[in-house]
Amino acid sequence: MRRAICPGSFDPVTNGHLDIFRRTSLMFDEVIVGVFFNPGKGNPWFTVEERVEMLKLATKDIPNIRIEAFSGLLNQYVREQDAKIIVRGLRTLSDFEYEFQRALLIKEIDKEIETVFMMTGVEHSYLSSSGVRELLSFKGSIDQFVPPCVAKMIKDINSKRGN
């Protein structure tokens, strides 16, 4: 079985992420979306549990996808899942530079793990979770940037938080 890991913070999941997941699901028998806390990205807007739930809702139409939270080193998680492929979505040249360095580090740690880079569709090339969070912080509309089920969940979460 060819299994790939799509790791990320997904804070929140966007239509660009879904583009990568859908296309990846056509190339592998199973795709595991691994949600983790990235200390390099500051405080998350949503809890890991909320992000996992958003992803489960947004990907329920992709039959060969599994959503999980994980912590620790990515290479160890990839091994624990009996996978050898990491798929990283790219939007810009700066994404490539960042992801390329990470891929080289993982390759140095574990020679059997490969990283595959996938360009997002041009219609999503400007879209980022941080951009969605910025819109949320100013009470802007995010409806065109996230799946409808995620937009509803975010509105419900923000309503409970008093935002």
Side-chain angles (χ1 to χ4, degrees):
M1 173 180 280
R2 293 194 52 102
R3 182 175 291 136
I5 309 291
C6 290
S9 51
F10 310 112
D11 187 32
V13 61
T14 69
N15 291 331
H17 293 127
L18 290 177
D19 173 50
I20 297 295
F21 301 155
R22 280 185 174 62
R23 291 170 39 222
T24 300
S25 76
L26 300 174
M27 295 186 280
F28 295 93
D29 300 316
E30 183 179 32
V31 177
I32 302 171
V33 175
V35 181
F36 68 99
F37 172 71
N38 183 345
K41 291 192 176 185
N43 292 329
W45 190 282
F46 299 100
T47 68
V48 169
E49 295 79 18
E50 289 167 338
R51 289 180 271 154
V52 165
E53 184 61 27
M54 284 179 204
L55 281 156
K56 285 181 178 180
L57 288 171
T59 61
K60 66 182 175 195
D61 65 322
I62 306 172
N64 60 332
I65 201 164
R66 179 166 33 120
I67 311 300
E68 291 189 348
F70 78 96
S71 60
L73 294 173
L74 177 56
N75 65 301
Q76 290 175 346
Y77 179 71
V78 170
R79 286 292 189 171
E80 289 167 7
Q81 299 305 312
D82 195 29
K84 294 189 180 191
I85 306 290
I86 299 168
V87 175
R88 303 298 282 177
L90 300 176
R91 297 166 298 146
T92 63
L93 185 58
S94 60
D95 283 351
F96 175 76
E97 290 174 0
Y98 175 77
E99 296 297 348
F100 183 67
Q101 287 179 340
R102 292 177 64 176
L104 289 175
L105 180 61
I106 288 176
K107 192 65 164 169
E108 185 63 29
I109 293 168
D110 191 327
K111 305 274 189 244
E112 293 184 21
I113 296 175
E114 296 292 343
T115 300
V116 175
F117 299 112
M118 184 177 293
M119 296 301 301
T120 191
V122 68
E123 67 275 17
H124 304 297
S125 61
Y126 63 89
L127 185 55
S128 67
S129 292
S130 59
V132 170
R133 289 192 309 273
E134 186 173 344
L135 282 168
L136 287 170
S137 70
F138 291 105
K139 300 191 182 344
S141 174
I142 60 165
D143 293 346
Q144 69 193 56
F145 306 119
V146 300
C149 59
V150 171
K152 181 185 180 325
M153 187 175 172
I154 289 171
K155 287 173 187 164
D156 292 346
I157 290 168
N158 283 338
S159 177
K160 286 178 191 173
R161 292 180 183 168
N163 294 338

